[in-house]
Amino acid sequence: MNERIDPPGAESTGGRPEDAGLSVDEKFARLAAEIDGSQVQGKGAKEEAARTRRLRAEWSKTPPKATPWRSDGPSTMGSLPAYPLPDQPRRKRRGSVSTKVVLVAVVGVLGLFMYASSKHSPSTQISINTSGAYPSPSQSFANPDDNYFVGSPALNWSDNKAGFSIPAASALNGVSESDIAAGYQELEQLMVAGNLNTTVLAGGSVYDFTKLLDPKSNVGSDLQSWIAHPSAKEDPVELVTRFEQANTRLLGQTVKVRGSMTAKADSQSHSVLLTADYIFVYAVGPASGASDEDTRVVMHRTVQIQVVAPGYYQSTAGKVWIAQYSYSVGNSDCYDYNGFVDPAFGGDGGAPNDAGTVDPYATGNLLTASPDSTATGQVCQAVSGL
């Protein structure tokens, strides 16, 4: 008896393949059903496989997680743009002055003056002169150190940290009042650390200054590099006030301070620029102790920091990001870039190479000052009224 053999594609109930007679679309639907567990209706439909039923039961309790395409790469979710935005990479802003102007002492009433453009809770007691005698108290001065400032406009200025006055904060440009108030406090700490801290003033560690800086910036590492290898282009004095004890001693425990802090909206949203513009006056003498050469050094600094609203930029809470800075110093040797302020004792400091004199106590934001369009390279001038 011959066995009947149905032609290919005919419906049958024998030992033929279970997808026999299905179209290409139907075969694809069946394959998809085996993968995702759905049922295919129509020709060739059958009960779900055991594995399909098991997966369906498991996924009803614990659904599978969606896997993005090429998920082996680094995740960028939650990453905030750098200070400021990716299309505007954050960099140190330079002041408007492009040349260094150095002013030097010529005679007793004149002192050296140096003006430079920007480059890119510490103690406030000044006690470097631990061996020298303080001037005798007088009826004129409750603070005997004031004798060192007789004849100076700074005589009646505030002493040390008392010279800082933090203005009332208010919300600005998407930055809250509390964040701006905190920024003012951080800016004050930075100015104190760089200009009143005893260790820094004595030419020692600048850690009390660098620890305040946002580690995402490179200002701290730059400063350490400049201290190790100071030069005209990389001078630590641009950021901090340092004296070399082998040559200079500070007289008394008082630094005269005057200045102000202001806030303005940054060009970027949720960002505010806080500016500190201060003058510091130091009474100094030669390390030899010769009192007839006692003089003063006037340091004028303008420092601007950026304060941002949390969540809008990559920032480190409680740390300072310096946006730009500039400084000028009256009574520091011309052309001597050893990483210190070098008072010109006895009229030393190099001969002036430019006419005119400069008032070291002149106020004004150094970042907005107009540069000398005629100056080329380093300019050394005399300074009056030191």
Side-chain angles (χ1 to χ4, degrees):
M1 183 176 182
N2 295 330
E3 180 181 4
R4 178 183 175 183
I5 300 177
D6 293 332
E11 293 184 7
S12 173
T13 58
R16 295 173 302 170
E18 60 185 16
D19 60 353
L22 297 180
S23 67
V24 173
D25 290 341
E26 291 170 332
K27 291 180 180 180
F28 182 80
R30 180 180 294 280
L31 179 60
E34 293 178 356
I35 294 174
D36 66 14
S38 63
Q39 293 185 356
V40 179
Q41 303 297 328
K43 185 182 292 187
K46 68 183 186 64
E47 185 179 359
E48 293 177 329
R51 179 176 181 275
T52 299
R53 294 195 302 271
R54 177 175 60 80
L55 291 176
R56 181 183 295 281
E58 292 178 358
W59 291 351
S60 66
K61 298 178 181 179
T62 309
K65 295 181 179 180
T67 303
W69 172 251
R70 194 163 181 83
S71 60
D72 57 328
S75 172
T76 58
M77 297 302 294
S79 177
L80 298 174
Y83 272 101
L85 299 175
D87 60 339
Q88 296 175 318
R90 185 168 188 173
R91 49 176 68 90
K92 289 176 291 182
R93 303 175 184 172
R94 296 179 177 271
S96 59
V97 180
S98 60
T99 60
K100 288 190 175 182
V101 180
V102 184
L103 311 176
V104 65
V106 180
V107 294
V109 297
L110 301 179
L112 166 141
F113 189 85
M114 176 179 178
Y115 188 90
S117 65
S118 65
K119 292 184 181 266
H120 44 82
S121 79
S123 169
T124 60
Q125 278 295 94
I126 308 303
S127 57
I128 294 178
N129 179 28
T130 56
S131 59
Y134 293 156
S136 300
S138 69
Q139 294 180 348
S140 301
F141 305 118
N143 177 8
D145 286 353
D146 283 349
N147 285 291
Y148 292 124
F149 301 95
V150 173
S152 163
L155 175 61
N156 296 318
W157 291 8
S158 298
D159 300 341
N160 303 324
K161 191 176 178 180
F164 290 96
S165 178
I166 296 180
S170 58
L172 180 63
N173 198 32
V175 182
S176 70
E177 176 183 326
S178 60
D179 286 331
I180 292 177
Y184 275 133
Q185 294 288 341
E186 293 161 4
L187 180 55
E188 180 192 46
Q189 291 173 15
L190 189 75
M191 298 297 285
V192 170
N195 302 280
L196 298 178
N197 181 275
T198 56
T199 301
V200 176
L201 286 173
S205 170
V206 294
Y207 173 73
D208 283 346
F209 180 87
T210 58
K211 72 179 182 181
L212 302 174
L213 302 174
D214 192 321
K216 294 182 174 65
S217 74
N218 59 358
V219 176
S221 58
D222 282 350
L223 177 57
Q224 294 288 2
S225 175
W226 298 353
I227 289 174
H229 306 286
S231 67
K233 293 183 178 180
E234 299 180 342
D235 190 352
V237 176
E238 293 188 11
L239 285 167
V240 295
T241 305
R242 309 170 72 235
F243 295 92
E244 188 174 24
Q245 287 189 292
N247 301 319
T248 306
R249 75 186 195 283
L250 265 72
L251 307 177
Q253 302 182 56
T254 302
V255 175
K256 294 294 185 177
V257 180
R258 170 174 285 184
S260 62
M261 296 185 190
T262 57
K264 71 174 183 178
D266 196 356
S267 58
Q268 301 166 136
S269 63
H270 299 94
S271 176
V272 170
L273 297 174
L274 302 184
T275 302
D277 188 68
Y278 280 88
I279 297 177
F280 304 87
V281 185
Y282 306 87
V284 297
S288 65
S291 59
D292 60 335
E293 295 185 29
D294 290 350
T295 183
R296 287 179 285 270
V297 167
V298 182
M299 176 65 73
H300 184 178
R301 291 194 186 276
T302 303
V303 178
Q304 189 175 82
I305 69 171
Q306 187 177 16
V307 177
V308 298
Y312 287 89
Y313 301 88
Q314 285 186 352
S315 61
T316 304
K319 298 297 181 179
V320 176
W321 188 290
I322 298 179
Q324 56 180 338
Y325 57 90
S326 190
Y327 83 104
S328 65
V329 55
N331 198 10
S332 185
D333 284 352
C334 284
Y335 326 121
D336 188 1
Y337 298 97
N338 59 2
F340 301 98
V341 176
D342 295 299
F345 299 116
D348 295 332
N353 65 7
D354 197 51
T357 60
V358 174
D359 177 8
Y361 296 95
T363 60
N365 186 323
L366 298 176
L367 297 175
T368 58
S370 299
D372 182 354
S373 59
T374 64
T376 57
Q378 299 174 1
V379 178
C380 185
Q381 290 178 286
V383 53
S384 62
L386 188 63

